Amino acid sequence: MTTRNAADRYLKCRNGKWQYYRRVPKEFTEHDNRGTIRVSLKTDSLTLARSKRDALAEADEQLWMTLASAKGSIAKLLDPATSQILKRYEAARHRAMSKGYIYTPADQLAETANLEEIVSRLLEVAKQPENEKKEAEALLGGVNRPKIPVSKAFEIYCEKIALSDTVRKSPAQIKAWRKAKKRAVNNFIKICGDLSMNEIERRHGQAFYDWWGKRLIPDPSGKAMAPNTANRDIGNMKKLFREYWAFEGEEERENPFRNLRYSDKQIEKVPHFENEWVREKMLNPTVFSGLNPQAVLICYALIETGCRPSEIANLKPENIILSGDTPHIKIRATNDRELKTSSSVREIPLVGVSLEAMKKAPQGFPHYHDKNNLLSITLLKGFRARKLFPTPKHKIYSFRHSFEKRMLEGGIDYGLRCDLMGHSNTRPDYGDGGSLSYRRNELEKIAHPMPYEFRMALPEAY
C-alpha cells in the first residue's frame, strides 16, 4: 500500500513494514540509474518511517542537485576528466548518506573506522545486487577525492562560494574584487605551482610568506613593496583555503596560511591641502580649462562634502536634492553597487563651492558612473599637469583629509564629524546627528569663501 497523504509521500507499506519508495526524476536518469528507489525502513512505526524518509529524501535531492550543478556552473570550470571524477565523488557521497553512512575514502576508512562500522558497511554492500558497483563505491569509499588545482578552486570560489560577496557589487566593483584575489592566486602559483587544494601544506604557506618578505626589503633605489600589499595577498589565500574547504564540509582543516602576517605600523597618512592652497590655486575654475567638465564639478563637490570621489561620481539623480531649504546629497548603497562600509550611509548638506558644483550636475555624473579608475586617472593627470599637488604625497583624497581637519579646527562636534565623514562612531548613539539645517549651519562656518566670479565660471556638466 502506497500512502496518498502528502505528509507521507515516498512511503509504501509492505508486509507491515515501511519502505522509502520513489522514482528517479527523468532529467537525472542518465547519471542515476536506480530507476525506482526502494529502501526498507525496517520499522512499522509511521512516525519513525517519516523521519527516516526525510533523511533519505534529502540525500537524494542533494545528489540530484549536485548532478545538476556538475552539469552547470562547476563542471564548466573543470576539465572533462576532473569534472567526471567530481560527479562520481559527489554521487558516492550522497549514495552513502542515503544508506545512513558518512562517505569516507577507503584509505581514511581503514585508518579511522572501527571494526563494527566496517563490518556494517560490508553487510550493507552484500545486500545490494551484484551489478550495483556504485553502491559498493559509496559504502566502501572507492572513489578518490578529485584533485582540484588552486586555479580551478579560485574559479569555483568566485562563481559559487562567494556569490553573496558580489551579488550587490557593480560590474566595476566585481572586477576590482576579483582582480585583487586573482593576483594572490597567480603569485602563489608562480612560487609553489598550481597545486591541488588538498596538497597545500604549511611549507607552501611559509614559502609564499618568505617570497613576499624579500619584496618588502628596499632595493638600492629605496623602493619596496608595502607590507599591506603582502598581507592582502596572504590573507586572500588564507580566505580561499578556508572557504573552499568549508564549502566541502571540512571546516576542521588546518589553514596553512594561518598567523602569517607582516607588521604594518609605519603607514604614511595622505596629507591634507592647506586652506590657502585651495583658495589660491583651485577656487578659480579657469585653472581646470581643458579638463572634462564632469571631472571638474566632481572635484569641487569634494571640497565641502568630504566625500570619497567614487561616492560623488556614482550619485543617482534621486539622491541629489537641490530644492527646499537645505540642498543635500544622500550617500546610499543600491542593488547594483555597494558602499565601502555600512557607516558610509549618510546625508550631507551642500554649501559653498560644492553646492554650486552640484547645481550644474542635477542628474549626476554619467560619464564617470562605475568608472572610478577613469575618474582617478583624469584628475591625477589634470592636477599634476597644473601643479596642483603641493608635494608628491598629496592625492585627490587630500580633499577628504582637509575637510576633516577643517571640521576639527572649526569646533564641530565629534559625533557630527563622524556622521559627515561616514566613519563609525565610538561614542554611544543618542540621536541622528542633528537636522539637515543644523548640519548645514555647522558646515557653513568652515566653508571656503567663494570668489564672486566662481558661479559664472563653472562649466556645465552636460
Side-chain angles (χ1 to χ4, degrees):
M1 176 188 73
T2 304
T3 178
R4 294 182 179 180
N5 188 332
D8 298 325
R9 62 177 182 171
Y10 311 140
L11 288 176
K12 182 176 183 179
C13 190
R14 183 177 182 183
N15 299 327
K17 299 287 186 181
W18 289 101
Q19 287 184 337
Y20 172 63
Y21 183 91
R22 184 178 190 180
R23 291 188 180 278
V24 174
K26 287 183 180 180
E27 60 266 35
F28 301 116
T29 54
E30 179 184 354
H31 299 287
D32 187 343
N33 58 11
R34 288 178 292 171
T36 299
I37 305 166
R38 297 180 180 87
V39 179
S40 174
L41 301 178
K42 300 176 183 178
T43 181
D44 56 5
S45 166
L46 181 56
T47 301
L48 184 57
R50 286 172 177 167
S51 176
K52 290 187 173 184
R53 179 275 318 273
D54 289 344
L56 292 170
E58 182 181 358
D60 277 329
E61 283 155 14
Q62 286 182 355
L63 166 62
W64 295 328
M65 285 175 63
T66 300
L67 291 174
S69 177
K71 290 179 181 179
S73 60
I74 289 183
K76 290 176 183 177
L77 302 174
L78 304 174
D79 60 86
T82 305
S83 178
Q84 193 60 37
I85 294 173
L86 177 62
K87 290 180 190 178
R88 282 185 63 205
Y89 178 73
E90 293 295 340
R93 285 210 307 179
H94 293 296
R95 284 178 184 275
M97 187 185 298
S98 73
K99 299 297 182 184
Y101 296 91
I102 300 298
Y103 180 81
T104 310
D107 55 349
Q108 188 177 340
L109 190 65
E111 291 180 5
T112 62
N114 57 39
L115 181 60
E116 182 180 356
E117 181 180 351
I118 293 175
V119 170
S120 174
R121 289 176 183 250
L122 289 170
L123 290 174
E124 187 64 39
V125 170
K127 296 176 186 177
Q128 307 305 319
E130 291 184 6
N131 61 349
E132 268 298 349
K133 178 183 176 184
K134 290 182 179 179
E135 299 294 341
E137 281 186 343
L139 292 167
L140 300 180
V143 182
N144 292 325
R145 179 188 297 278
K147 293 184 177 181
I148 308 297
V150 174
S151 58
K152 300 300 182 183
F154 173 70
E155 297 299 326
I156 294 171
Y157 171 79
C158 291
E159 300 295 332
K160 193 174 182 72
I161 301 173
L163 184 62
S164 62
D165 290 349
T166 59
V167 68
R168 292 296 179 89
K169 283 181 167 60
S170 70
Q173 286 178 320
I174 292 174
K175 184 177 180 181
W177 174 88
R178 186 181 177 110
K179 180 180 178 181
K181 290 170 171 52
K182 180 66 172 177
R183 183 193 67 193
V185 170
N186 287 343
N187 283 337
F188 178 81
I189 291 172
K190 179 165 60 177
I191 303 308
C192 301
D194 198 4
L195 302 173
S196 65
M197 291 297 289
N198 55 349
E199 290 177 327
I200 302 176
E201 299 175 352
R202 181 63 169 179
R203 59 190 176 92
H204 299 117
Q206 290 171 330
F208 192 49
Y209 177 82
D210 291 342
W211 177 77
W212 264 113
K214 294 175 183 176
R215 304 188 75 197
L216 302 183
I217 300 172
D219 63 19
S221 67
K223 293 183 179 179
M225 298 296 291
N228 186 50
T229 306
N231 290 335
R232 191 177 295 120
D233 258 23
I234 296 167
N236 280 328
M237 285 303 301
K238 179 167 65 176
K239 186 173 185 179
L240 172 63
F241 189 93
R242 180 181 69 246
E243 297 201 4
Y244 176 83
W245 286 116
F247 181 72
E248 289 292 318
E250 296 191 27
E251 297 89 342
E252 73 284 355
R253 280 209 179 218
E254 200 163 37
N255 198 310
F257 302 95
R258 66 192 183 280
N259 301 323
L260 296 177
R261 181 176 178 81
Y262 288 100
S263 175
D264 194 16
K265 296 179 180 178
Q266 297 179 351
I267 300 177
E268 292 187 11
K269 287 186 64 176
V270 175
H272 65 277
F273 289 121
E274 295 291 347
N275 291 339
E276 293 75 15
W277 184 271
V278 173
R279 295 167 186 175
E280 293 176 8
K281 299 285 187 179
M282 300 179 193
L283 293 190
N284 175 5
T286 59
V287 76
F288 291 116
S289 296
L291 204 61
N292 182 286
Q294 291 187 29
V296 175
L297 294 173
I298 289 172
C299 173
Y300 284 122
L302 299 175
I303 292 175
E304 304 294 4
T305 63
C307 284
R308 302 173 179 94
S310 62
E311 292 174 334
I312 296 293
N314 291 288
L315 279 171
K316 293 196 170 184
E318 60 267 28
N319 290 327
I320 301 171
I321 295 84
L322 298 173
S323 59
D325 293 335
T326 311
H328 61 283
I329 56 175
K330 297 179 179 180
I331 307 301
R332 297 285 187 270
T334 61
N335 289 333
D336 59 356
R337 184 171 184 83
E338 289 182 338
L339 292 178
K340 185 175 182 179
T341 63
S342 59
S343 60
S344 296
V345 175
R346 60 203 191 276
E347 295 183 1
I348 306 172
L350 293 168
V351 300
V353 296
S354 293
L355 173 58
E356 297 306 316
M358 291 309 303
K359 284 180 179 178
K360 296 288 187 178
Q363 299 301 309
F365 306 93
H367 185 72
Y368 293 105
H369 180 75
D370 205 28
K371 297 176 182 175
N372 298 341
N373 286 341
L374 175 61
L375 175 61
S376 178
I377 291 170
T378 301
L379 289 178
L380 284 174
K381 285 184 176 179
F383 270 57
R384 286 168 181 162
R386 294 162 177 80
K387 296 180 171 53
L388 294 177
F389 288 135
T391 73
K393 294 180 180 179
H394 279 76
K395 310 292 182 187
I396 301 301
Y397 230 71
S398 295
F399 282 123
R400 184 164 162 83
H401 293 273
S402 298
F403 180 73
E404 187 171 26
K405 184 174 185 288
R406 283 190 289 135
M407 286 197 296
L408 173 64
E409 293 178 348
I412 292 180
D413 175 74
Y414 171 79
L416 179 54
R417 298 203 311 267
C418 289
D419 288 342
L420 292 172
M421 291 295 293
H423 290 161
S424 58
N425 189 345
T426 56
R427 293 180 183 173
D429 187 3
Y430 293 116
D432 61 1
S435 66
L436 277 172
S437 59
Y438 164 73
R439 297 181 182 199
R440 177 202 61 209
N441 293 341
E442 291 297 290
L443 288 182
E444 285 179 342
K445 296 176 183 177
I446 66 166
H448 290 292
M450 189 164 46
Y452 174 77
E453 66 279 4
F454 186 86
R455 295 181 182 87
M456 301 300 297
L458 272 178
E460 297 290 338
Y462 318 109

